Amino acid sequence: GEESGRADRGERRWILDPIDGTSNFLRGVPNWGTLIALEVDGEITVGVVSAPALGARWWAQLGSGAWAQDAGSPARRLRVSQVRDLADASVSFQSIAQWDQAGYLDPLISLSRTVWRDRAYGDMWAYMALAEGLIDVVAEFDVKPYDLAALVPIVREAGGSFTDIEGEPSVWNGSSLASNGLLHDALVRFIDQAHRG
């Protein structure tokens, strides 16, 4: 069934999200896609994001790089940005309500005052913009493994980092923090300190 699965059995598990960005899909906003991931022995090794309304596809396999292709164009290799300072970073945060409900509104406001730019690009597109080097950070709450699993190899193979908000390398904890890698440790510390008050 959609956005569900089976008990942990076997060494391989497919993690699927048939329509990531369902609200966008229902309203006719073209920012939605199908997410497919393969987990082998607990590690997500393959990720595919297909966005038919945008005419785009992104994919990665561990050790093989991250790639994208627009309709009618050749595949191109992805690389995250080289931004090294939070003051120069462009951040996508998904939604204010998510951060507020998770008890992280103050850290979001503090982060927005620290970075160069903040926007809510939304769903899989924000992570693909990160992998393409267009933005530098994506962070969100109230996310499920099927929302994130396919994105992990793409971001990591493009040179980025992907953890939960506390810096744990897991898609199973209900939050995400993805970055160009250069900013990651500083982001984890910044959010933690702002959260502790």
Side-chain angles (χ1 to χ4, degrees):
E2 181 176 350
E3 299 182 348
S4 64
R6 61 184 176 94
D8 293 334
R9 291 177 280 188
E11 63 183 39
R12 295 175 180 263
R13 174 176 28 193
W14 291 98
I15 303 171
L16 308 173
D17 189 351
I19 302 178
D20 181 62
T22 307
S23 297
N24 287 339
F25 175 78
L26 291 173
R27 293 200 60 166
V29 177
N31 178 15
W32 57 273
T34 299
L35 311 182
I36 304 169
L38 175 61
E39 182 185 68
V40 179
D41 293 327
E43 182 175 24
I44 301 167
T45 60
V46 174
V48 177
V49 174
S50 180
L54 298 176
R57 181 170 293 141
W58 300 263
W59 66 93
Q61 177 181 349
L62 292 187
S64 298
W67 302 84
Q69 187 170 24
D70 300 317
S73 299
R76 65 187 189 287
R77 187 135 192 193
L78 303 180
R79 291 300 305 160
V80 294
S81 75
Q82 295 300 300
V83 171
R84 296 177 178 275
D85 191 324
L86 283 177
D88 298 324
S90 179
V91 175
S92 178
F93 58 85
Q94 186 70 346
S95 89
I96 292 171
Q98 285 179 336
W99 285 68
D100 189 23
Q101 291 164 3
Y104 278 79
L105 184 57
D106 289 341
L108 176 62
I109 300 301
S110 294
L111 185 61
S112 74
R113 292 176 177 156
T114 302
V115 299
W116 167 64
R117 185 173 184 168
D118 63 278
R119 292 287 184 268
Y121 293 105
D123 302 307
M124 56 77 192
W125 167 239
Y127 296 90
M128 298 306 94
L130 169 65
E132 293 199 26
L134 304 175
I135 63 175
D136 312 301
V137 177
V138 182
E140 57 183 327
F141 290 91
D142 191 28
V143 284
K144 309 293 187 274
Y146 49 78
D147 295 321
L148 304 174
L151 313 175
V152 171
I154 299 169
V155 169
R156 289 182 179 161
E157 286 294 308
S161 296
F162 204 119
T163 66
D164 68 10
I165 207 75
E166 295 175 352
E168 296 297 320
S170 175
V171 298
W172 303 96
N173 297 335
S175 66
S176 69
L177 178 62
S179 77
N180 67 0
L182 299 170
L183 298 167
H184 211 80
D185 292 341
L187 284 161
V188 171
R189 283 193 304 273
F190 184 96
I191 293 169
D192 180 58
Q193 289 171 357
H195 183 60
R196 292 173 190 255

